[in-house]
């Protein structure tokens, strides 16, 4: 029986409940009155349950779908405004003992050269990232207790935070590593990480075990219950995600929302972020092998329905997606994107062929400067802000500010100030011109005079070279 408050994966991700929810959604996908009722509930920013949201995802009434997309866009604007947070992945090691059939890092792949960054390598990588203008990283590593033990990850985090190069500094390190113990999560918390990210890959247990035939990741329950251990270990912010294409997308969507409901019910706060990757080409991996591919139209609908169901949660789309695909979903719910990314180990400072150590192919290969300019041309404020984490606005403290709308008073000014830092320190002449014009316009939108005046003061200080890393 479905129990969101249970700590057991088999109970909070209940296969029977998912299938019953999908059947109910199929039966009601043309129920216009119900769809309108659910949209009205969502307009109150109350979110939707996994069953309710599944009805919207299944709905194929053109007029109602227009309303679904319009509501997603409105919710995105109301909670996140026109800001888009930027980050970059940093691959530490591709050593891995798991046998995941969709990932080129799997232990049986003899084509891919194995590599692990030394601390000296990490310094070079981080300096290269700082020279681009990045302030926020997501570190990635395969699961290998010999080559990538928790001590190695902690040493890497410490090295990253220690590097100050010109005006650059990495102010937030998010961590995407394999499920681990409460003790190790406490160590990650003490190391000052931002969000702990772990993708479920698929919520279908039977399919999960087939896709992960060997290695510690084969244990579905241990993997699925990882976020509970992370929160028990004191990590406030966790990030969920599935790899769309491994299973039927409606099943994954429902399971993802059930996981979010579980975190809210047990820990009082849902996921800080939800990522929406789709399977894509990589060494030894052919996406055509998987029969549940998600089209661009379905992908856009998934983003819109997730935004409606969990209005307060950040949403991430990576450079797996093309520029066209990313542009389509930005206004529907996405609040964070990567830019200038490399998915190779050592790829920021070495001339490495993309296929050598890459986890997956990058579709959007533009530089960070090009991505920043593109966002501004679309009317978005590129944000490098990490102030919430350093000011203690994490977990339920962040969510309470987000739910009452007060977070905008922090995020909008801080986005402008970190954009100004980027423009002064790293931007091309064309990008700088567009950005300074945007800042002039956006400052006028700050409603509180005291905040407005302080922002003007800080912007001037940045122009004069001040970098106190408050943002």
């Amino acid at each position: 029986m479905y129990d969101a408050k249970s700590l057991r994966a088999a109970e909070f991700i209940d296969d029977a409940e998912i299938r019953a929810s999908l059947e109910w959604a199929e039966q009601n996908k043309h129920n216009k009155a119900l769809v309108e009722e659910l949209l009205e509930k969502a307009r109150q920013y109350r979110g939707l349950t996994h069953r309710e949201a599944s009805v919207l995802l299944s709905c194929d009434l053109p007029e109602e779908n227009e309303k679904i997309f319009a509501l997603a866009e409105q919710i995105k604007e109301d909670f996140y405004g026109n800001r888009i947070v930027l980050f970059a992945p940093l691959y530490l090691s591709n050593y891995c003992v798991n046998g995941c059939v969709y990932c080129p890092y799997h232990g049986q792949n003899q084509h891919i050269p194995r590599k692990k960054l030394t601390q000296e390598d990490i310094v070079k990588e981080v300096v290269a990232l700082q020279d681009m203008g990045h302030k926020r990283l997501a570190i990635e590593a395969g699961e290998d207790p010999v080559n990538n033990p928790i001590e190695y990850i902690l040493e890497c985090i410490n090295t990253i935070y220690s590097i100050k190069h010109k005006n650059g500094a990495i102010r937030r390190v998010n961590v995407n590593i394999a499920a681990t113990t409460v003790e190790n999560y406490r160590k990650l918390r003490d190391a000052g990480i931002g969000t702990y990210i772990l993708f479920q890959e698929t919520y279908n247990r039977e399919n999960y075990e087939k896709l992960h035939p060997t290695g510690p990741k084969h244990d579905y329950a241990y993997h699925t219950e990882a976020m509970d251990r992370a929160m028990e270990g004191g990590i406030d912010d966790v990030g969920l995600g599935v790899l769309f294409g491994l299973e039927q997308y409606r099943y994954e969507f429902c399971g993802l929302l059930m996981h979010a409901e579980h975190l809210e019910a047990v820990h009082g706060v849902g996921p800080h972020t939800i990522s929406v990757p789709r399977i894509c080409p990589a060494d030894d991996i052919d996406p055509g092998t998987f029969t549940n591919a998600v089209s661009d139209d379905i992908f856009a609908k998934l983003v819109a329905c997730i935004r409606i169901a969990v209005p307060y949660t950040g949403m991430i789309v990576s450079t797996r997606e093309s520029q066209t695909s990313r542009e389509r979903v930005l206004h529907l719910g996405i609040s964070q994107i990567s830019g200038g990314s490399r998915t190779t180990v050592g790829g920021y400072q070495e001339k490495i062929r993309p296929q050598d150590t890459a986890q997956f192919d990058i579709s959007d290969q533009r530089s960070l400067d090009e991505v920043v300019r593109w966002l501004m041309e679309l009317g978005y404020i590129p944000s490098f802000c990490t102030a919430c984490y350093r000011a203690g606005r994490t977990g339920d403290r962040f969510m309470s500010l987000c739910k009452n709308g007060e977070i905008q008073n922090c995020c909008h000014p801080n986005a402008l100030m970190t954009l100004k830092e980027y423009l002064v320190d790293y931007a091309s002449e064309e990008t700088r011109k567009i950005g300074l014009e945007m800042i002039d316009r956006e400052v006028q939108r700050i409603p509180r005079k005291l905040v407005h005046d302080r922002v003007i003061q800080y912007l001037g200080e940045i122009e004069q070279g001040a970098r106190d890393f408050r943002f």
Side-chain angles (χ1 to χ4, degrees):
M1 183 167 180
Y2 175 59
D3 181 6
K5 292 186 177 181
S6 171
L7 293 177
R8 297 179 60 189
E11 294 174 353
F12 66 80
I13 305 296
D14 185 334
D15 178 75
E17 169 62 19
I18 292 178
R19 296 186 186 281
S21 297
L22 298 184
E23 182 179 353
W24 187 71
E26 182 66 19
Q27 293 169 352
N28 285 280
K29 67 180 183 180
H30 295 151
N31 186 338
K32 186 174 180 179
L34 176 60
V35 171
E36 290 286 350
E37 179 184 329
L38 296 177
L39 289 174
E40 183 54 37
K41 176 185 176 183
R43 288 189 188 98
Q44 308 305 314
Y45 307 124
R46 294 158 55 192
L48 297 176
T49 67
H50 61 276
R51 279 202 172 202
E52 294 168 337
S54 293
V55 173
L56 297 190
L57 184 61
S58 295
C59 177
D60 56 8
L61 300 172
E63 182 179 349
E64 299 307 308
N65 274 335
E66 288 182 12
K67 294 177 182 178
I68 289 170
F69 284 111
L71 179 56
E73 188 169 355
Q74 185 61 55
I75 291 173
K76 161 69 191 308
E77 172 66 25
D78 289 347
F79 283 99
Y80 288 92
N82 60 340
R83 303 179 309 281
I84 299 291
V85 171
L86 287 156
F87 73 97
L90 174 59
Y91 282 74
L92 303 178
S93 170
N94 63 0
Y95 284 95
C96 192
V97 298
N98 288 311
C100 314
V101 302
Y102 53 85
C103 177
Y105 286 4
H106 67 81
Q108 290 74 40
N109 185 0
Q110 301 300 313
H111 306 144
I112 194 167
R114 302 293 171 169
K115 181 170 183 178
K116 170 184 173 180
L117 297 182
T118 65
Q119 299 310 303
E120 291 75 18
D121 292 330
I122 289 172
V123 172
K124 294 176 183 177
E125 288 283 278
V126 171
V127 166
L129 284 157
Q130 289 175 351
D131 279 340
M132 293 183 200
H134 276 296
K135 300 289 188 286
R136 177 190 302 236
L137 301 183
I139 60 173
E140 322 258 353
E143 183 169 11
D144 186 324
V146 174
N147 289 291
N148 311 329
I150 191 65
E151 291 75 19
Y152 170 70
I153 302 298
L154 296 170
E155 184 181 10
C156 293
I157 294 169
N158 183 64
T159 296
I160 292 167
Y161 278 138
S162 72
I163 301 165
K164 303 295 185 289
H165 171 65
K166 298 180 180 177
N167 285 331
I170 300 304
R171 302 173 182 175
R172 176 166 177 150
V173 176
N174 297 333
V175 174
N176 184 355
I177 62 170
T180 188
T181 63
V182 172
E183 179 185 0
N184 285 344
Y185 285 125
R186 288 197 181 102
K187 293 177 180 178
L188 290 171
R189 176 204 61 192
D190 293 344
I193 74 164
T195 304
Y196 173 67
I197 302 163
L198 183 66
F199 296 166
Q200 181 60 30
E201 318 300 3
T202 176
Y203 283 99
N204 184 311
R205 180 168 189 155
E206 181 179 357
N207 197 17
Y208 178 96
E209 291 174 349
K210 291 178 181 177
L211 291 165
H212 308 91
T214 59
K217 196 170 179 178
H218 177 74
D219 189 335
Y220 175 89
Y222 188 77
H223 186 86
T224 311
E225 295 161 9
M227 294 309 187
D228 294 287
R229 295 193 300 277
M231 288 186 157
E232 183 182 344
I235 296 176
D236 286 340
D237 292 342
V238 298
L240 303 180
V242 294
L243 183 53
F244 285 106
L246 298 180
E247 177 58 70
Q248 294 180 359
Y249 69 89
R250 289 189 176 95
Y251 191 103
E252 304 291 35
F253 174 82
C254 194
L256 183 66
L257 294 185
M258 290 171 77
H259 202 166
E261 291 166 1
H262 161 73
L263 295 178
E264 183 84 39
V266 174
H267 304 284
V269 58
H272 188 71
T273 58
I274 290 177
S275 298
V276 287
R278 290 189 283 183
I279 194 165
C280 66
D283 181 271
D284 202 40
I285 305 299
D286 177 8
T289 305
F290 303 93
T291 59
N292 294 296
V294 173
S295 69
D296 289 348
D297 287 344
I298 291 173
F299 185 62
K301 185 78 176 289
L302 282 165
V303 171
C305 289
I306 292 172
R307 172 50 61 222
I308 290 170
V310 281
Y312 317 113
T313 297
M315 291 184 68
I316 300 173
V317 65
S318 77
T319 46
R320 284 177 181 263
E321 298 295 333
S322 67
Q323 174 181 341
T324 300
S325 177
R326 300 216 290 178
E327 186 167 326
R328 183 175 182 183
V329 297
L330 279 175
H331 68 287
L332 295 175
I334 298 301
S335 57
Q336 294 187 29
I337 67 171
S338 50
S341 301
R342 300 289 183 272
T343 65
T344 49
V345 180
Y348 291 107
Q349 47 96 22
E350 291 184 5
K351 300 292 185 182
I352 297 176
R353 292 184 303 163
Q355 67 270 30
D356 279 353
T357 63
Q359 187 183 34
F360 57 83
D361 290 355
I362 293 174
S363 294
D364 188 346
Q365 299 194 22
R366 294 172 295 168
S367 69
L368 178 59
D369 188 79
E370 290 172 315
V371 171
V372 168
R373 185 166 64 250
W374 165 68
L375 288 172
M376 294 189 297
E377 289 171 343
L378 293 174
Y380 297 103
I381 305 172
S383 175
F384 296 87
C385 181
T386 61
C388 279
Y389 178 72
R390 291 194 316 285
R393 292 189 295 266
T394 58
D396 57 357
R397 294 171 294 286
F398 173 84
M399 285 298 175
S400 64
L401 287 171
C402 193
K403 289 178 180 180
N404 65 26
E406 288 297 317
I407 198 68
Q408 294 254 31
N409 295 323
C410 302
C411 294
H412 186 252
N414 287 348
L416 295 178
M417 289 183 280
T418 56
L419 174 59
K420 182 65 175 287
E421 287 182 334
Y422 174 83
L423 296 174
V424 171
D425 292 341
Y426 308 105
S428 65
E429 184 176 347
E430 181 182 359
T431 300
R432 184 179 298 114
K433 181 177 183 296
I434 295 171
L436 293 177
E437 291 173 353
M438 166 170 269
I439 289 173
D440 287 343
R441 291 193 306 271
E442 291 290 335
V443 165
Q444 304 311 314
R445 295 179 53 214
I446 299 174
R448 297 183 181 179
K449 186 178 187 306
L450 180 59
V451 176
H452 175 275
D453 291 347
R454 285 179 176 172
V455 170
I456 294 293
Q457 175 188 342
Y458 293 155
L459 289 172
E461 291 176 1
I462 292 168
E463 189 75 39
Q464 298 302 316
R467 300 290 184 279
D468 63 7
F469 307 111
R470 64 165 69 94
F471 312 119

